[in-house]
Amino acid sequence: MEQGTIRTLIETAIRQLEFAYTPYSHFKVGAALLAEDGTVYTGCNIENAAYTPCNCAERTAFFKAVSEGARRFRAICIVGGMEGKLAGYTAPCGVCRQVMMEFCDPEQFEIILAASPDDYQVYRLKALLPLGFGPDNLGNPTETRGR
Ligand code: THU
């Protein structure tokens, strides 16, 4: 992926930190999801007093995108830190990796973990979710997710 695109995604994800609703953990996460058509869908984590309804930034971005008709994605950038201060990479939780598996080709989809606009690492979904269970297992290849 182009350096300029990565930088834009990181800056977009960082801007989402201010919207994170985190009165319980105080750990703020921002995400920027790049669809195949170039649209960027944003997300932040949204916590809840009952705890289990908490939603991660990544899933917020995916669910916003899918609810607006997007089904094909190239990459997601994730940033996070206590009180929104970035201090290292924030990797997606297992549930979010599984949601990525539903809509993305694990060999192609890129996950950008950033600590700053100049400090990031790029992983393919397959590396973060090896031997993942997905649409293929039920006879629905990922390629059919597209509209
Ligand atoms: N969180 C995310 O939004 N994404 C991640 O990748 C890891 C965890 C959120 C969930 C919760 O609101 C807070 O971070 C602490 O777990």
Side-chain angles (χ1 to χ4, degrees), residues 25-113:
S25 76
H26 300 279
F27 191 88
K28 295 182 184 292
V29 183
L33 173 64
L34 177 64
E36 231 169 61
D37 70 357
T39 306
V40 176
Y41 296 90
T42 59
C44 63
N45 53 333
I46 303 167
E47 298 186 343
N48 190 284
Y51 286 28
T52 46
C54 288
N55 206 55
C56 291
E58 299 90 317
R59 272 176 291 147
T60 302
F62 266 92
F63 295 158
K64 281 171 68 180
V66 174
S67 72
E68 292 180 25
R71 293 272 181 88
R72 292 178 170 275
F73 305 100
R74 288 175 57 196
I76 190 168
C77 173
I78 307 159
V79 298
M82 288 306 295
E83 307 295 354
K85 263 190 136 149
L86 304 189
Y89 304 125
T90 297
C93 80
V95 173
C96 288
R97 293 175 202 207
Q98 187 63 35
V99 168
M100 293 172 196
M101 184 76 192
E102 186 66 26
F103 294 102
C104 308
D105 177 348
E107 315 248 9
Q108 297 299 325
F109 187 68
E110 293 183 306
I111 298 164
I112 303 158
L113 307 183

